[in-house]
Amino acid sequence: MGKKITETKCSCKACGNVWYYGKDEELSNLGDRLQNIGSEMSNIGKNMMCCTGCLPALFIPEKQQTAVKDLNSCPKCHSKAVAKEKVVHEV
């Protein structure tokens, strides 16, 4: 018996595009989203320090956001009308 790989098959109901993503991509996407939340919180803290008149806070660089791929929308037409199903492949 071989190794099994589980993927998510996505079908766009608007344009008919079909694409797949696996657990690795899903975990990477979650990590990027959490990193963006941390960056946003850091930027909010910096902005709050500036509002109180803290001059050195002006020199703290803004944290950049990471581009995160939306796994719930079609990469072609960006529609959110997506049907998902788990697919298991034997290798």
Side-chain angles (χ1 to χ4, degrees):
M1 191 157 135
K3 183 178 174 184
K4 292 183 180 181
I5 297 174
T6 304
E7 290 184 317
T8 302
K9 177 183 177 183
C10 302
S11 304
C12 180
K13 294 179 181 178
C15 71
N17 184 33
V18 176
W19 70 99
Y20 297 85
Y21 65 85
K23 286 280 188 195
D24 291 342
E25 193 172 3
E26 199 170 347
L27 289 174
S28 173
N29 189 288
L30 177 64
D32 289 344
R33 287 180 189 272
L34 290 174
Q35 184 176 359
N36 282 346
I37 290 171
S39 295
E40 286 176 21
M41 296 302 285
S42 177
N43 290 340
I44 289 171
K46 175 190 176 271
N47 291 338
M48 289 177 71
M49 286 189 336
C50 287
C51 291
T52 60
C54 177
L55 185 61
L58 294 173
F59 300 106
I60 299 172
E62 289 280 324
K63 300 259 183 176
Q64 296 299 313
Q65 299 289 312
T66 305
V68 179
K69 185 174 163 183
D70 187 3
L71 298 177
N72 296 317
S73 67
C74 177
K76 274 190 174 179
C77 71
H78 305 291
S79 172
K80 295 267 185 192
V82 174
K84 292 183 176 186
E85 65 179 285
K86 294 286 183 188
V87 180
V88 178
H89 303 282
E90 287 194 31
V91 181

